[in-house]
Amino acid sequence: MSLREKLWKWAIVAACLAVIASAYHASSNSEPVIRKILQFLFFLPGVVAALWFGWKGGVPVAFAAAVSYAPLSWPLTVEQFSESFDLLLIGCVMGVLGDRERRRARLLEKTTTQLSEAYSQLQENVERWKNAERLSAIGQLSAGLAHEIRMPLAAIEGAAEMLRNGPADDDLRTEMTEILRKESKRLNRLLTDLLQFARPRRPEFRLAKINQVAESVVRLLDTQARKEGVVFAVRCEPDLPEVECDPEQLRQVLLNLCMNSMQAAKGGGAVEITASASGPATVISVADNGPGMPPEIAARIFEPFFTTKPDGTGLGLAVARTIVEGHGGRIRLEPNLPSGVRFHIELPVSQKESTDERIHTNR
């Protein structure tokens, strides 16, 4: 409180007390009710001073009110003395209470300031953590990309060196040419997957039937499945509602999952695609009866560039997860008892309900 503000408040209290005292003493011949009202008004300056200045203001003003209330003729009656004492008592009590409330207010203000500073510090730490996490992710991505590029480049360099060193027979030339073609194709696939992962296309939502998308994936893999000795089966619930999704992106997700399951179940295994309704969501599963997957590998299966295949890019499942999450859904891997694994996808039937649910969750 500034000095100017203090002086103004003291002037207001003094003016109120002077007006009340003058009115009280001037009403000696007035009705008892008016006298009683003016008598109670003597408490007002002391209470206001106590609230504004604490006991240092309440006690002096209460004493001044008691003196102003006392009649001009002495001695005081017992009632007058009692009423003057009440003024002093109320001033003291209100002063103590005013001091306590001001201390609480200062403590609250201090606590609020500390919380605000702590919140600002927390925000700064979160931003630093996000930046560190982002840099770490970029570092891991760069390391994985460098590793994946280095191997085909080494093969291409070796094949080119052998072709350059001198004349070669037709078989060697054919073999080296096939290496160049295969590794170039691998690099092209790696860059395509990387672009899909780093800059995924925005989904173009429209209603689609899950069974039709699943059956189209099985038709695409039919020739390769025959070579691998794998049998595909599609089992969808009858009258399954259409899902609001991007059919092309969903087909890409199922294609990635089915190719992984087919490679795990090759040599006489089976892959099953199922779809069922679960409240506002549709649950899609891709399950195989292959040898299964160790927990340490299953925990990292969706990491970019993590792969157990010699010719894999390690981005197929990472892209699949990005697409599913872009649809407001979830994807996870779980055991498929008694053998194999199961990819479990949950997709919202309606994108509007999915968006409303995410907004409600964020609140």
Side-chain angles (χ1 to χ4, degrees), residues 10 36 51 95 128 154 211-212 227 231 268 276 301 306 318 357:
W10 276 115
K36 202 65 175 176
L51 293 176
R128 290 197 200 100
N211 61 324
Q212 292 180 355
K227 291 181 181 180
V231 177
S276 59
I301 198 68
F306 178 79
E357 183 179 350

Side-chain angles (χ1 to χ4, degrees), residues 201-207 243-247 249 323 326-328 351 358:
R201 176 176 63 83
R202 291 177 64 87
E204 297 177 1
F205 294 108
R206 63 178 185 271
L207 292 177
V243 175
E244 191 176 357
C245 65
D246 186 321
Q249 287 191 346
I323 292 174
H327 281 66
Q351 285 301 312
R358 288 197 292 268

Side-chain angles (χ1 to χ4, degrees), residues 1-261:
M1 189 185 303
S2 64
L3 178 61
R4 182 185 181 87
E5 187 178 359
K6 286 182 179 180
L7 292 176
W8 270 108
K9 288 184 176 181
W10 276 115
I12 292 172
V13 171
C16 287
L17 181 57
V19 170
I20 293 169
S22 299
Y24 177 75
H25 290 296
S27 63
S28 56
N29 297 323
S30 300
E31 294 293 330
V33 174
I34 296 176
R35 295 276 293 175
K36 202 65 175 176
I37 292 173
L38 292 173
Q39 175 186 336
F40 282 115
L41 285 178
F42 273 103
F43 290 101
L44 182 61
V47 171
V48 172
L51 293 176
W52 281 349
F53 306 106
W55 68 268
K56 293 181 180 180
V59 173
V61 172
F63 180 79
V67 172
S68 301
Y69 168 76
L72 300 177
S73 58
W74 292 82
L76 299 177
T77 65
V78 174
E79 182 180 359
Q80 291 169 340
F81 180 82
S82 175
E83 290 170 350
S84 300
F85 179 78
D86 287 344
L87 286 172
L88 286 172
L89 182 61
I90 291 296
C92 293
V93 172
M94 291 303 300
V96 171
L97 293 178
D99 276 344
R100 182 182 298 176
E101 287 304 315
R102 282 212 310 283
R103 284 196 299 269
R104 288 180 179 175
R106 286 196 297 268
L107 179 61
L108 179 60
E109 183 179 357
K110 181 180 178 181
T111 304
T112 302
T113 303
Q114 291 175 343
L115 287 175
S116 179
E117 293 174 354
Y119 178 71
S120 300
Q121 186 66 36
L122 179 61
Q123 282 187 316
E124 292 177 5
N125 291 337
V126 168
E127 288 302 319
R128 290 197 200 100
W129 176 76
K130 285 183 178 179
N131 290 333
E133 187 181 47
R134 197 176 297 117
L135 290 174
S136 175
I138 292 173
Q140 292 177 0
L141 188 66
S142 302
L145 182 61
H147 176 72
E148 291 299 325
I149 290 177
R150 186 180 292 114
M151 290 190 294
L153 283 180
I156 290 172
E157 182 182 5
E161 187 70 23
M162 291 189 69
L163 290 174
R164 191 189 67 172
N165 283 339
D169 56 39
D170 291 341
D171 291 340
L172 181 59
R173 186 181 301 278
T174 301
E175 182 183 354
M176 294 301 105
T177 304
E178 180 63 23
I179 289 175
L180 291 174
R181 187 193 65 81
K182 180 181 177 182
E183 297 302 330
S184 298
K185 186 177 179 180
R186 181 179 174 184
L187 281 175
N188 183 63
R189 188 172 73 252
L190 172 63
L191 291 176
T192 300
D193 289 344
L194 180 62
L195 287 175
Q196 288 178 341
F197 173 73
R199 287 189 308 180
R201 176 176 63 83
R202 291 177 64 87
E204 297 177 1
F205 294 108
R206 63 178 185 271
L207 292 177
K209 294 182 178 180
I210 297 299
N211 61 324
Q212 292 180 355
V213 177
E215 288 167 0
S216 68
V217 170
V218 172
R219 285 195 297 271
L220 285 173
L221 295 175
D222 182 65
T223 302
Q224 189 176 351
R226 291 176 185 274
K227 291 181 181 180
E228 301 287 354
V230 175
V231 177
F232 272 92
V234 178
R235 294 185 176 86
C236 298
E237 282 185 352
D239 302 325
L240 193 66
E242 293 184 327
V243 175
E244 191 176 357
C245 65
D246 186 321
E248 293 302 321
Q249 287 191 346
L250 183 57
R251 186 176 291 109
Q252 182 182 354
V253 170
L254 292 180
L255 186 62
N256 278 325
L257 301 183
C258 287
M259 289 181 65
N260 277 274
S261 296

Side-chain angles (χ1 to χ4, degrees), residues 207-360:
L207 292 177
K209 294 182 178 180
I210 297 299
N211 61 324
Q212 292 180 355
V213 177
E215 288 167 0
S216 68
V217 170
V218 172
R219 285 195 297 271
L220 285 173
L221 295 175
D222 182 65
T223 302
Q224 189 176 351
R226 291 176 185 274
K227 291 181 181 180
E228 301 287 354
V230 175
V231 177
F232 272 92
V234 178
R235 294 185 176 86
C236 298
E237 282 185 352
D239 302 325
L240 193 66
E242 293 184 327
V243 175
E244 191 176 357
C245 65
D246 186 321
E248 293 302 321
Q249 287 191 346
L250 183 57
R251 186 176 291 109
Q252 182 182 354
V253 170
L254 292 180
L255 186 62
N256 278 325
L257 301 183
C258 287
M259 289 181 65
N260 277 274
S261 296
M262 183 176 62
Q263 291 170 2
K266 63 183 179 180
V271 177
E272 183 182 54
I273 305 175
T274 61
S276 59
S278 176
T282 295
V283 178
I284 308 170
S285 295
V286 178
D288 65 70
N289 60 354
M293 192 179 296
E296 61 273 13
I297 294 179
R300 302 183 58 193
I301 198 68
F302 293 106
E303 290 182 12
F305 298 112
F306 178 79
T307 181
T308 58
K309 304 169 188 174
D311 58 345
T313 63
L315 286 172
L317 293 179
V319 170
R321 183 176 65 175
T322 301
I323 292 174
V324 171
E325 291 177 349
H327 281 66
R330 296 182 298 173
I331 182 172
R332 67 177 186 272
L333 181 70
E334 57 188 27
N336 181 37
L337 301 176
S339 65
V341 297
R342 179 185 299 272
F343 290 97
H344 188 86
I345 303 173
E346 292 182 23
L347 287 179
V349 174
S350 169
Q351 285 301 312
K352 181 180 184 302
E353 292 179 0
S354 173
T355 304
D356 292 344
E357 183 179 350
R358 288 197 292 268
I359 293 174
H360 177 72

